[in-house]
Amino acid sequence: MKFFIDTANLDQIREAQELGVLDGVTTNPSLMAKEGIRGRDNILKHYVDICEIVDGDVSAEVIATTFDEIVKEGEELAELHPQIVVKVPMIKEGIKAIKYFSDKGIRTNCTLVFSAGQALLAAKAGATYVSPFLGRLDDISTDGLQLIAEIRQIYDNYGFETQILAASIRHTMHVVNCAKIGADVMTGPLSSIDGLLKHPLTDSGLAKFLEDAKSFN
Ligand code: G3P
């Protein structure tokens, strides 16, 4: 299972990278805005800065919503750095663009996916990644994990190579449950990765070992 961090914050990306388990980064316009990144040149530079911190894939989202504009913007993003994956919304023009990018060898992440049917369409178009937003489904009393399981079943039925990128992860148990289902990738906040470290028996066990080790001196 690949671990991506879902942020545009360079300090958090560095911290996750230093842990040694980071496989990539996902961003979106909201996350870029949160970091106060403004203006096209600054946004493009920020994507390059992220690529220089991590070794893996970095999703950069298009703002355009028509085929021609998505292609233009996506090609510009893809040329920025070999690690860039063009993130395209799940709309009709987006699916056409994903097919176009796929035929040209440009990697894509189909975002804003909330149903198995949408995920099937993204795979048919040749998306590299599909991003079902499980946390946002949970937010409206729908089972986000069930969607991940349905997509896993459909992709396995037909051998689709599109990777399931479980997005909108909110906490550590989302990560664990996505791993049990077999999501290829999870993207979440740094806290969802850090949470995997924690167990009170680890803390109390280590405290006892360190206390008993004092007798060695
Ligand atoms: O990057 C897309 C997705 O992960 C958004 O998550 O927490 O805004 O629902 P969230």
Side-chain angles (χ1 to χ4, degrees):
M1 185 190 207
K2 292 185 204 167
F3 278 15
F4 288 1
I5 188 169
D6 196 28
T7 184
N9 182 287
L10 299 182
D11 289 336
Q12 288 184 18
I13 294 168
R14 271 188 211 98
E15 191 176 334
Q17 175 68 19
E18 282 165 12
L19 189 60
V21 299
L22 191 66
D23 300 297
V25 176
T26 51
T27 63
N28 62 41
S30 304
L31 293 171
M32 294 293 273
K34 193 174 165 191
E35 297 309 312
I37 317 295
R38 306 261 185 278
R40 194 73 193 146
D41 289 348
N42 290 331
I43 287 171
L44 298 182
K45 181 184 174 304
H46 201 75
Y47 287 136
V48 174
D49 289 346
I50 293 173
C51 290
E52 286 173 355
I53 296 171
V54 298
D55 297 325
D57 290 346
V58 174
S59 286
E61 187 160 341
V62 300
I63 311 298
T65 54
T66 64
F67 174 80
D68 288 342
E69 290 296 315
I70 293 172
V71 165
K72 184 170 170 245
E73 194 182 345
E75 286 180 336
E76 184 182 16
L77 290 170
E79 279 169 16
L80 280 179
H81 197 282
Q83 286 166 238
I84 292 285
V85 174
V86 180
K87 203 170 178 187
V88 180
M90 166 45 76
I91 54 175
K92 189 178 267 190
E93 298 291 288
I95 287 296
K96 290 182 200 168
I98 287 170
K99 172 69 176 136
Y100 172 89
F101 288 136
S102 172
D103 289 345
K104 286 198 72 178
I106 293 174
R107 295 174 310 138
T108 54
N109 174 356
C110 184
T111 190
L112 290 166
V113 166
F114 293 94
S115 76
Q118 290 177 325
L120 177 58
L121 202 51
K124 286 287 292 175
T128 313
Y129 296 102
V130 65
S131 288
F133 279 26
L134 74 99
R136 292 193 193 183
L137 283 170
D138 287 358
D139 287 345
I140 58 160
S141 303
T142 303
D143 188 351
L145 287 168
Q146 177 62 31
L147 174 60
I148 306 292
E150 286 174 12
I151 299 171
R152 179 75 283 156
Q153 182 185 354
I154 289 168
Y155 284 10
D156 288 350
N157 282 348
Y158 297 99
F160 283 119
E161 291 180 3
T162 300
Q163 295 176 57
I164 302 172
L165 196 171
S168 190
I169 292 261
R170 299 284 169 74
H171 52 71
T172 298
M173 283 314 293
H174 272 158
V175 179
V176 172
N177 285 320
C178 282
K180 284 160 79 173
I181 291 166
D184 300 288
V185 191
M186 80 84 194
T187 191
L190 184 57
S191 58
S192 68
I193 299 173
D194 282 345
L196 294 167
L197 285 163
K198 293 178 188 161
H199 199 287
L201 292 178
T202 303
D203 297 340
S204 59
L206 180 61
K208 178 79 169 81
F209 286 157
L210 294 179
E211 182 60 30
D212 291 343
K214 286 178 184 166
S215 67
F216 299 169
N217 300 322

